Amino acid sequence: MANFKNKVVYQIYPKSFCDSNGDGEGDLKGITSKLDYLQDLGVELLWSTPFFPSPQRDNGYDVSDYCAVDPRFGTMEDLEELIAEAAKRNIGLMFDMVFNHTSTEHEWFQKALAGDEKYQNYYIFKEGTPDKLPTNWVSKFGGPAWEYVPSLGKWYLHLFDVTQADLNWENPEVREELKNVLRFWKAKGIQGFRFDVVNLISKPEIFEDDLIGDGRRFYTDGRHVHEFLKEMVRDADIGDMVTVGEMSSTSLSNCVRYTAPREKELSMVFSFHHLKVDYKDGDKWSLMPPDLMRLKELLTTWQEGMQAEDGWNAVFWCNHDQPRVVSRFGNEEKYWKESAKMLAAAIHLMRGTPYIYQGEEIGMTNHHYTAIDQYRDVESLNYYRILMENGKTSDEALEILAARSRDNGRTPMQWNDSHATGFTTGTPWIIPPENYRQINAAAQMEDETSIRAFYKKLIALRKELDVISDGRIEFLMRQDPRVLAYRRYTGEQELLVLCNLTGEDASVSVPAGWENATLLLHNYTSDLTNILQPYECVALLK
Ligand code: TEU
């Protein structure tokens, strides 16, 4: 099995990473041109979100051809060059497999629409009349999860956008098609795959109304999901690759099964419970300050729960669907540097494989847009309308979007302080935050105290110290609402990590036996005392 415990994965959102041809959108050649930057950082795996042909309703998560490159991102030759150039730098690629649904522009769906029953059976069609939805399930992007096709007299299921039709995994032909996609990309010499919302693939036998929720309990971690994953990994022969499943609203017990080596399913999983601690009543569109105690509890439960059963977490704060962590759980003004470093240390020293999302390593912040025409994301645009329909004013809806929009994570990578952050010579497809003149990669490259230098150190330490990549974990100071504290240990080494999650001083007592330990990492230059300063973090080794 591939070693993914001592590596750090860097996530690239190609559209916003680097534009090589001046059309305002990032592309594959742009990524290749930045490989030296990534090698210098020390990351050994790159996960790129989709660059396959797509109408781009959901920025590439609506795939119309799984085995080709969208011309807007380049050519197959560009991709092969990227793979080869990355390999020279000891960097492996992971591609994003969006197998829960296809774009409605996909050839399969088009054939289904034209009346071909073979292909209708690739999707989830239900006979009916336009006045009666098959079930009351709600789409993740708002509105009903079904769309009526008058020419067929049938509804089709779409858990996401209306242009993202859910595939019918119960059909063995569908599973075979998808295995062929994996075989195709594996043969190109990539190292791994990320599977989009892969715990939603197995739908129930009977489709019924959800009287207590939005329908997710009927298809999340569904009845055949473990079987389907096992079969896919075995038949496509990807058991030796690095695989990560994105698990929507999942449970710990399922994630143990997805990742425990004996199950032969996936290397690791993303779960999102810790990124909902600022959702009021669990609603993403209802603002509340983060509940730090809840955050600690969730991190503890998942770290310890996965460890007990030999499961493996992907550990992360940011991706292309999330607001920037320094704006969210840190302080992007007064303690920008300190809080960004503390948040990095908090997860990079945990048990699991850390993921860095482009720009996180330089402390990129939310964008703070003030007008709806600055937004691009289909979810944000839908919810702006829904929030207003539900009685919010435009200003209130914009305040919510500014905190919660997925576009916060999709602004151009801030390379330098020149035109459009150095991301493009043209007009960027989405407006960069104004702070790129201060916050950019160029400014941090030579600065040993930068956030980037701190990330670089964390990545290097994971390669050097088994206690970080492979040690056990035990949480300390569990009742303290301010300090996240844990101990990692192997037979030979021990690591103590203390992180002040707040913008206020917090007293700690360093546990007995640590007085003479080595100071491995610290985000303040002053001496360590038993008062942790705002967002102070420290790692001690013995
Ligand atoms: O996201 C899955 C998903 O459900 C969320 O992260 C979603 O964006 C959020 O819960 C809505 O509030 C994956 C991809 O990461 C995302 O970009 C795609 O839009 C989605 O699947 C559909 O493919």
Side-chain angles (χ1 to χ4, degrees):
M1 179 163 304
N3 189 0
F4 47 83
K5 298 192 171 181
N6 62 3
K7 296 189 169 73
V8 173
V9 185
Y10 190 92
Q11 183 195 347
I12 290 186
Y13 196 67
K15 195 168 180 174
S16 302
F17 190 62
C18 181
D19 174 18
S20 72
N21 63 2
D23 67 357
E25 293 186 6
D27 46 45
L28 297 172
K29 277 191 178 303
I31 302 176
T32 306
S33 74
K34 296 296 183 185
L35 286 170
D36 289 339
Y37 170 89
L38 298 167
Q39 183 184 26
D40 176 78
L41 189 59
V43 292
E44 290 171 281
L45 287 166
L46 289 187
W47 151 33
S48 170
T49 65
F51 44 74
F52 315 109
S54 157
Q56 298 284 319
R57 267 284 296 204
D58 187 20
N59 280 354
Y61 282 93
D62 46 334
V63 178
S64 57
D65 180 353
Y66 289 109
C67 295
V69 174
D70 196 307
R72 71 175 61 228
F73 292 115
T75 62
M76 190 60 88
E77 289 70 48
D78 295 342
L79 186 61
E80 284 162 359
E81 186 191 11
L82 169 59
I83 297 169
E85 287 299 317
K88 283 187 199 158
R89 295 165 178 82
N90 195 27
I91 297 176
L93 281 139
M94 296 168 73
F95 289 175
D96 207 324
M97 299 292 112
V98 190
F99 284 176
N100 176 67
H101 42 264
T102 72
S103 162
T104 49
E105 308 262 298
H106 195 288
E107 178 188 8
W108 303 336
F109 195 82
Q110 288 298 315
K111 287 185 176 161
L113 280 187
D116 188 332
E117 283 184 12
K118 169 181 155 88
Y119 288 99
Q120 283 176 14
N121 199 26
Y122 272 38
Y123 295 91
I124 300 173
F125 278 97
K126 298 282 170 205
E127 304 265 358
T129 49
D131 54 324
K132 197 173 176 310
L133 288 155
T135 68
N136 67 347
W137 300 359
V138 181
S139 150
K140 306 265 182 195
F141 293 161
W146 298 94
E147 180 72 8
Y148 194 65
V149 184
S151 61
L152 300 176
K154 290 178 183 172
W155 295 86
Y156 69 86
L157 178 70
H158 63 90
L159 294 181
F160 292 88
D161 187 58
V162 52
T163 65
Q164 293 167 301
D166 280 57
L167 282 165
N168 176 16
W169 275 70
E170 301 300 316
N171 179 351
E173 286 178 281
V174 168
R175 304 203 297 275
E176 201 48 41
E177 296 265 18
L178 299 176
K179 289 173 207 164
N180 281 333
V181 175
L182 297 175
R183 293 178 184 121
F184 176 85
W185 289 119
K186 182 180 177 184
K188 295 271 179 207
I190 66 168
Q191 301 295 308
F193 294 105
R194 179 250 189 200
F195 293 100
D196 190 58
V197 290
V198 75
N199 67 327
L200 310 185
I201 56 177
S202 175
K203 311 301 194 274
E205 196 173 353
I206 295 167
F207 286 72
E208 55 187 316
D209 279 348
D210 188 350
L211 302 177
I212 54 169
D214 61 8
R216 73 182 66 190
R217 68 198 172 98
F218 294 125
Y219 55 75
T220 303
D221 301 316
R223 59 197 172 125
H224 295 137
V225 65
H226 294 284
E227 249 171 78
F228 289 161
L229 284 174
K230 284 185 173 70
E231 179 192 296
M232 178 182 79
V233 169
R234 184 193 64 222
D235 294 357
D237 192 20
I238 59 165
D240 57 346
M241 297 174 79
V242 183
T243 53
V244 56
E246 186 200 29
M247 303 301 173
S248 172
S249 305
T250 188
S251 69
L252 178 58
S253 59
N254 272 296
C255 287
V256 166
R257 287 182 68 191
Y258 293 130
T259 62
R262 63 177 178 273
E263 300 286 342
K264 298 193 165 48
E265 295 184 15
L266 302 172
S267 314
M268 61 190 124
V269 287
F270 294 115
S271 65
F272 293 89
H273 300 283
H274 67 296
L275 296 178
K276 297 183 178 171
V277 297
D278 51 1
Y279 292 8
K280 195 168 167 211
D281 303 322
D283 175 12
K284 171 169 175 175
W285 308 101
S286 205
L287 302 182
M288 145 183 132
D291 179 342
L292 296 178
M293 200 60 200
R294 181 87 191 116
L295 177 65
K296 275 187 54 164
E297 280 162 14
L298 282 164
L299 293 171
T300 306
T301 306
W302 279 80
Q303 284 281 306
E304 294 187 346
M306 291 289 263
Q307 160 170 275
E309 301 275 344
D310 218 8
W312 197 252
N313 287 299
V315 291
F316 71 107
W317 292 123
C318 296
N319 67 27
H320 62 292
D321 296 331
Q322 299 290 330
R324 292 288 179 176
V325 71
V326 66
S327 306
R328 185 178 191 180
F329 298 146
N331 177 324
E332 60 169 51
E333 281 155 14
K334 192 163 174 206
Y335 297 112
W336 168 68
K337 216 179 206 186
E338 293 80 1
S339 62
K341 290 182 183 178
M342 180 281 289
L343 289 162
I347 59 166
H348 277 252
L349 300 174
M350 279 185 181
R351 183 176 176 280
T353 299
Y355 282 64
I356 299 173
Y357 178 61
Q358 63 183 46
E360 179 185 339
E361 78 280 15
I362 54 167
M364 276 176 60
T365 68
N366 283 353
H367 49 46
H368 308 296
Y369 293 154
T370 51
I372 192 63
D373 64 3
Q374 296 169 317
Y375 286 91
R376 301 289 176 268
D377 178 25
V378 56
E379 185 196 58
S380 302
L381 298 172
N382 284 351
Y383 270 94
Y384 178 68
R385 190 175 36 77
I386 293 169
L387 287 165
M388 303 231 294
E389 280 164 12
N390 292 343
K392 297 272 188 248
T393 63
S394 166
D395 282 352
E396 286 165 345
L398 287 170
E399 188 194 337
I400 294 171
L401 287 190
R404 295 292 148 86
S405 171
R406 304 196 298 179
D407 283 338
N408 279 306
R410 299 178 179 186
T411 57
M413 171 70 186
Q414 294 171 199
W415 292 109
N416 57 47
D417 64 2
S418 69
H419 166 79
T421 80
F423 158 72
T424 180
T425 54
T427 308
W429 69 279
I430 188 167
I431 304 168
E434 279 164 21
N435 61 22
Y436 75 90
R437 295 197 188 274
Q438 297 80 47
I439 301 177
N440 61 65
Q444 296 190 28
M445 287 301 284
E446 308 303 327
D447 175 3
E448 278 175 19
T449 71
S450 67
I451 296 170
R452 188 181 183 281
F454 195 83
Y455 269 89
K456 190 170 165 172
K457 178 96 199 239
L458 284 166
I459 297 164
L461 285 173
R462 175 164 286 262
K463 284 183 234 184
E464 276 161 35
L465 299 174
D466 288 348
V467 70
I468 297 177
S469 57
D470 226 5
R472 308 280 299 168
I473 191 161
E474 179 197 12
F475 283 78
L476 312 167
M477 301 174 62
R478 290 170 185 248
Q479 304 309 322
D480 190 311
R482 294 159 303 178
V483 180
L484 176 76
Y486 57 86
R487 186 174 78 90
R488 303 288 311 275
Y489 57 97
T490 62
E492 290 86 47
Q493 267 180 333
E494 263 189 273
L495 179 77
L496 178 71
V497 181
L498 302 173
C499 296
N500 181 357
L501 297 174
T502 78
E504 266 122 56
D505 286 351
S507 57
V508 283
S509 40
V510 172
W514 286 91
E515 299 80 5
N516 299 318
T518 312
L519 183 67
L520 192 65
L521 211 66
H522 194 194
N523 63 346
Y524 274 78
T525 45
S526 49
D527 285 345
L528 186 65
T529 70
N530 56 3
I531 306 279
L532 288 182
Q533 299 175 66
Y535 302 107
E536 183 168 354
C537 72
V538 60
L540 301 172
L541 184 73
K542 68 174 186 184

